[in-house]
C-alpha cells in the first residue's frame, strides 16, 4: 500500500537579496557567491546542533513562486529544450530546489551562508551536511557541456 | 502570505535489493555501490529527455517507512548524539532523502543506477543532474571526521 501524497512543512526561510527571479544569475558561467542566511524556526533549532562543523550544506527548499510545472524545460544555458529532470528548472512536478551553500557561521537559529540562489523568503524543507563529492573528472554534464562547446550565448530564462 | 504546507507526489519509485533498513550499509566507511533502478511513472517520462548525458544524478525521495521524526539523532557513525540537520538520519521533520547515484543507462522510463541506499519501493520526488562538485580539499566534515579520528566502531543505528 503506497501513499500517493506527502505533506511537507517549512522548517525555516531563506533570507536573500533576491526579490525577483530576474536578479538571480542564471545559465552557463553563473557564479553563486551571494551571501544570505537560513533562518530556522525556533522549534527546530535543536536540530542544528553540531552543524557548524560542516563546511557545506545541502539546502532543500520550495520554489514557492514558480507557478505551473512543465515536463519540458527551456533552460537559459541552451537554445534547445530538455526534459525537466535533466535541468534545474523551477517548474518541476514537485517544486523542490536543491542548493549547495558554504556555511560561514551559525548564530543560534540563523545560519549565514554563501551561495544563495533562492528568492528571499523561500521556504526551507531540510538541511543536510555535504559529506563527499563526485570527483570532477568523473562528472559528465550532458547537454550543458554540449551547449558550452557550441558557444550558446547566455540569455534570460523564459517565464 | 506564506503557505505553511506543501503537498508532494511520487514521480516514480526506487527498485533496490533492500527490503529492510538492516540490509543497508550504514555509518563510517559504508560504500554504496549497489545497483538498482529508478522507475519513473509513464506520465513523467517526457521529463527524462536528455538525462542520459549526465553521469550522476541527485535523487530526492521519501523515507516513507521512517516513522517518527526527532530533532536529535544517534547516527551509527558516532557514539554521541547530533542535531538531525547535521546528519543523514531518516527521522527528519520532512522525511526527504537525498542520494547521489551514477547513471548507468536509460531504458525508456527506467534508469539503471549505481549507488542506491534506499529501501525497495521508496517514492521518488525529483531527479536533478549533478553539475558540479565541492572540491574534496574544501570539505570539512565536522563530527563525522572527529568520530573517525576517535576510532568510533561502526554499529547498527538505533531504530
Amino acid at each position: 500500500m503506497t501513499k500517493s501524497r506527502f505533506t511537507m512543512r517549512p522548517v525555516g526561510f531563506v533570507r536573500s537579496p533576491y526579490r525577483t527571479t530576474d536578479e538571480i544569475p542564471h545559465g552557463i558561467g553563473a557564479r553563486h557567491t551571494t551571501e544570505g542566511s537560513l533562518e530556522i524556526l525556533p522549534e527546530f533549532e535543536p536540530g542544528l546542533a553540531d552543524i557548524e562543523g560542516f563546511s557545506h550544506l545541502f539546502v532543500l527548499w520550495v520554489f514557492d513562486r514558480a507557478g505551473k510545472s512543465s515536463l519540458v524545460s527551456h533552460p537559459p544555458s541552451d537554445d534547445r529544450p530538455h526534459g525537466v529532470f535533466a535541468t534545474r528548472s523551477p517548474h518541476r512536478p514537485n517544486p523542490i530546489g536543491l542548493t549547495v551553500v558554504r556555511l560561514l557561521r551559525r548564530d543560534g537559529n540563523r545560519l549565514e551562508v554563501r551561495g544563495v540562489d533562492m528568492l528571499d523568503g523561500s521556504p526551507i524543507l531540510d538541511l543536510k551536511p555535504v559529506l563527499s563529492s563526485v570527483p570532477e573528472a568523473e562528472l559528465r554534464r550532458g547537454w550543458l557541456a554540449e551547449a558550452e562547446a557550441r558557444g550558446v550565448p547566455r540569455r534570460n530564462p523564459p517565464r
Side-chain angles (χ1 to χ4, degrees), chain A:
Chain A
M1 202 170 50
T2 304
K3 268 179 72 179
S4 63
R5 293 293 183 274
F6 301 96
T7 303
M8 307 290 171
R9 57 186 165 156
V11 299
F13 295 90
V14 177
R15 294 299 156 211
S16 110
Y18 302 127
R19 308 285 160 160
T20 68
T21 51
D22 290 345
E23 299 169 31
I24 305 175
H26 284 96
I28 291 171
R31 299 293 297 270
H32 296 291
T33 54
T34 300
E35 296 187 10
S37 54
L38 310 177
E39 289 186 358
I40 302 305
L41 296 170
E43 66 192 278
F44 296 107
E45 186 177 332
L48 296 176
D50 301 328
I51 205 167
E52 50 270 36
F54 293 90
S55 58
H56 293 78
L57 304 177
F58 289 114
V59 186
L60 280 68
W61 52 281
V62 182
F63 291 107
D64 64 331
R65 281 152 277 179
K68 210 161 143 289
S69 82
S70 168
L71 292 177
V72 176
S73 169
H74 295 79
S77 318
D78 201 355
D79 48 12
R80 301 173 186 178
H82 303 285
V84 69
F85 298 127
T87 76
R88 298 170 54 93
S89 165
H91 308 288
R92 320 181 72 77
N94 292 302
I96 306 179
L98 175 63
T99 301
V100 175
V101 296
R102 183 165 195 129
L103 178 56
L104 301 176
R105 63 190 167 277
R106 175 182 166 194
D107 183 11
N109 66 331
R110 188 184 181 99
L111 304 177
E112 303 291 340
V113 300
R114 180 178 298 141
V116 297
D117 61 354
M118 310 83 152
L119 288 176
D120 187 54
S122 295
I124 299 169
L125 296 180
D126 201 5
L127 302 174
K128 299 175 192 287
V130 178
L131 301 180
S132 63
S133 289
V134 178
E136 280 284 344
E138 291 181 21
L139 271 188
R140 281 188 305 114
R141 299 183 306 133
W143 64 260
L144 190 61
E146 288 165 26
E148 286 173 355
R150 289 203 318 277
V152 173
R154 188 174 144 190
R155 62 181 171 77
N156 284 326
R159 295 287 160 194

